[in-house]
């Protein structure tokens, strides 16, 4: 049984138990109130009988006399109250029953949005690479290296899809480790064509050898998103640097650009889903990239923050647990 089916089954059993208990309590309280009213309004009256309680000779028995004028309205009122309460229970149960469906729908929409955003950069890279190869082919130049890069980009696209599917299933990322410098070089190579078209220089500055506790494909995803964001906000002729360092327990990765800084939104809100600053003359974004970076970094046991932002550039600091 899949996780979703098991979750729906557990929710159905929980709701059924809750409705049964709540209905039982309402009925029991109603019966208790009715009995209390009957006892409070009835009176005991002795009557002579020829055979006692069971008809014995000379016996008497006590009979309870119930005031119908009191009991009948009480039954009607209790019935109405019971119907209203049971209706309220049904409404609450219905709301609780659709909660798993709402959560599934939310996750589905998030996955579609995340996948659309995550695939945008690899597809743009593929398109740019194909256009470059077409121009080389028209000039009669060798396209062998371009085919190698195209194959690498296609493999990267498949890795991104697999990583997205793992996240969509609600699983934590698989155990793995990544050479941070190699992952940074891979991310830079993936965005080299886009950066060239924007006249932005990409560089990797590894201050220390570092291996992070995160699958390599996941780290490449994070760095591609950060670099893509930096390239979009860098001026023509600017540069973006990936600076790698480490502490006793963590690996630090700084993505440094030379843009105009974060404007129109507080830096601590830049990682909120669909949050984006007011932009002018730049491609429209959907405010998903940095939110995804934060989510993935947290699942890996790390963090992401805006370390510095001013009119001369922005620095994002990614911290990940180190292996060695």
């Amino acid at each position: 049984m899949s996780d979703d089916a098991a979750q729906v089954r557990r929710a159905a059993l929980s709701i059924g138990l809750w409705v049964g208990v709540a209905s039982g309590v309402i009925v029991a309280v109603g019966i208790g109130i009715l009995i209390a009213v009957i006892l409070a309004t009835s009176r005991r009256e002795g009557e002579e009988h020829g055979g006692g309680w069971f008809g014995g000779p000379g016996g008497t028995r006590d009979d309870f006399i119930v005031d119908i004028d009191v009991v009948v309205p009480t039954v009607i009122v209790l019935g109405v109250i019971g119907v209203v309460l049971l209706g309220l229970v049904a409404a609450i149960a219905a709301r609780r029953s659709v909660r798993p469906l709402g959560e599934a729908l939310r996750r589905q929409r998030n996955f579609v949005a995340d996948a659309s955003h995550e695939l945008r950069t690899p597809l743009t890279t593929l398109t740019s690479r194909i256009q470059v190869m077409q121009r080389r082919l028209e000039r009669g130049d060798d396209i062998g290296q371009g085919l190698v890069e195209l194959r690498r980009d296609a493999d990267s696209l498949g890795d991104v899809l697999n990583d997205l599917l793992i996240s969509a299933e609600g699983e934590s990322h698989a155990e793995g480790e990544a050479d941070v410098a190699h992952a940074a070089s891979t991310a830079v190579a993936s965005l080299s064509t886009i950066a060239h078209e924007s006249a932005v220089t990409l560089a990797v500055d590894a201050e220390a050898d570092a291996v992070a506790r995160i699958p390599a494909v996941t780290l490449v995803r994070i760095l591609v998103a950060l670099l893509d964001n930096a390239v979009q906000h860098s001026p023509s002729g600017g540069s973006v640097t990936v600076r790698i360092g480490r502490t006793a327990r963590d690996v630090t990765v700084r993505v440094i650009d030379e843009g105009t800084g974060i404007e129109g939104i507080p830096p601590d809100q830049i990682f909120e889903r669909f949050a984006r600053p007011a932009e002018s003359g730049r491609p429209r974004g959907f405010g998903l990239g940095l939110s995804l970076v934060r989510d993935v970094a947290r699942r890996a046991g790390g963090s992401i923050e805006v370390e510095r932002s001013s009119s001369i550039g922005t620095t994002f600091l990614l911290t990940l647990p180190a292996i060695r």
Side-chain angles (χ1 to χ4, degrees):
M1 182 182 294
S2 67
D3 291 341
D4 289 340
Q7 183 179 3
V8 171
R9 183 176 180 180
R10 287 194 300 269
L13 291 174
S14 174
I15 292 168
L17 179 62
W18 184 83
V19 171
V21 171
S23 300
V25 170
I26 292 173
V27 172
V29 170
I31 293 175
I33 293 174
L34 181 59
I35 293 175
V37 170
I38 291 175
L39 294 176
T41 58
S42 63
R43 65 182 183 275
R44 183 175 297 177
E45 182 175 294
E47 294 182 353
E48 295 292 337
H49 295 277
W53 184 265
F54 294 101
T60 63
R61 74 176 185 184
D62 291 333
D63 291 333
F64 284 101
I65 299 177
V66 177
D67 191 348
I68 299 298
D69 293 337
V70 175
V71 173
V72 171
T74 302
V75 171
I76 295 175
V77 171
L78 289 176
V80 172
I81 294 176
V83 170
V84 172
L85 291 178
L86 289 174
L88 182 61
V89 168
I92 296 174
R95 185 173 181 179
R96 294 181 62 179
S97 66
V98 300
R99 190 177 300 166
L101 300 179
E103 176 63 18
L105 181 60
R106 184 192 65 81
R107 289 174 56 188
Q108 180 183 22
R109 288 176 174 173
N110 287 349
F111 174 76
V112 172
D114 294 349
S116 300
H117 185 276
E118 289 284 325
L119 297 179
R120 178 179 60 84
T121 298
L123 289 174
T124 301
T125 300
L126 284 172
T127 301
S128 301
R129 192 88 68 189
I130 292 172
Q131 291 174 350
V132 170
M133 291 177 60
Q134 286 178 329
R135 290 194 292 267
R136 290 179 180 175
L137 186 62
E138 291 172 356
R139 295 195 303 264
D141 297 339
D142 180 36
I143 61 172
Q145 182 60 34
L147 289 174
V148 172
E149 294 173 346
L150 195 63
R151 175 60 184 272
R152 182 194 63 205
D153 293 338
D155 291 340
S156 176
L157 183 60
D159 291 338
V160 169
L161 281 172
N162 290 334
D163 208 36
L164 280 170
L165 289 174
I166 292 174
S167 300
E169 291 174 356
E171 302 176 3
S172 59
H173 284 289
E175 289 294 329
E177 59 183 52
D179 184 313
V180 181
H182 183 267
S185 298
T186 302
V188 166
S190 298
L191 288 170
S192 59
T193 302
I194 296 176
H196 179 74
E197 292 178 348
S198 301
V200 175
T201 302
L202 300 179
V204 177
D205 179 12
E207 298 177 347
D209 294 333
V211 178
R213 191 182 303 277
I214 185 174
V217 60
T218 305
L219 179 56
V220 172
R221 272 182 61 196
I222 293 177
L223 294 178
V224 165
L226 290 173
L227 286 170
D228 183 41
N229 178 76
V231 169
Q232 288 188 44
H233 294 83
S234 294
S236 178
S239 65
V240 175
T241 302
V242 181
R243 184 167 298 156
I244 302 168
R246 66 162 301 163
T247 63
R249 299 176 57 184
D250 299 315
V251 177
T252 59
V253 182
R254 289 175 170 84
V255 178
I256 308 167
D257 66 48
E258 297 177 348
T260 58
I262 299 174
E263 300 174 345
I265 186 173
D268 59 342
Q269 295 182 14
I270 199 70
F271 299 102
E272 297 299 324
R273 197 173 185 84
F274 298 112
R276 57 178 181 268
E279 302 182 34
S280 175
R282 292 173 180 155
R284 181 180 182 273
F286 293 94
L288 284 171
L290 295 179
S291 174
L292 295 177
V293 169
R294 180 190 60 181
D295 293 344
V296 175
R298 285 179 175 176
R299 286 199 296 268
S303 63
I304 180 73
E305 62 181 275
V306 178
E307 185 177 48
R308 177 186 63 86
S309 183
S310 67
S311 59
I312 60 174
T314 300
T315 299
F316 284 92
L317 172 59
L318 171 67
T319 304
L320 296 169
I323 292 182
R324 61 179 184 272

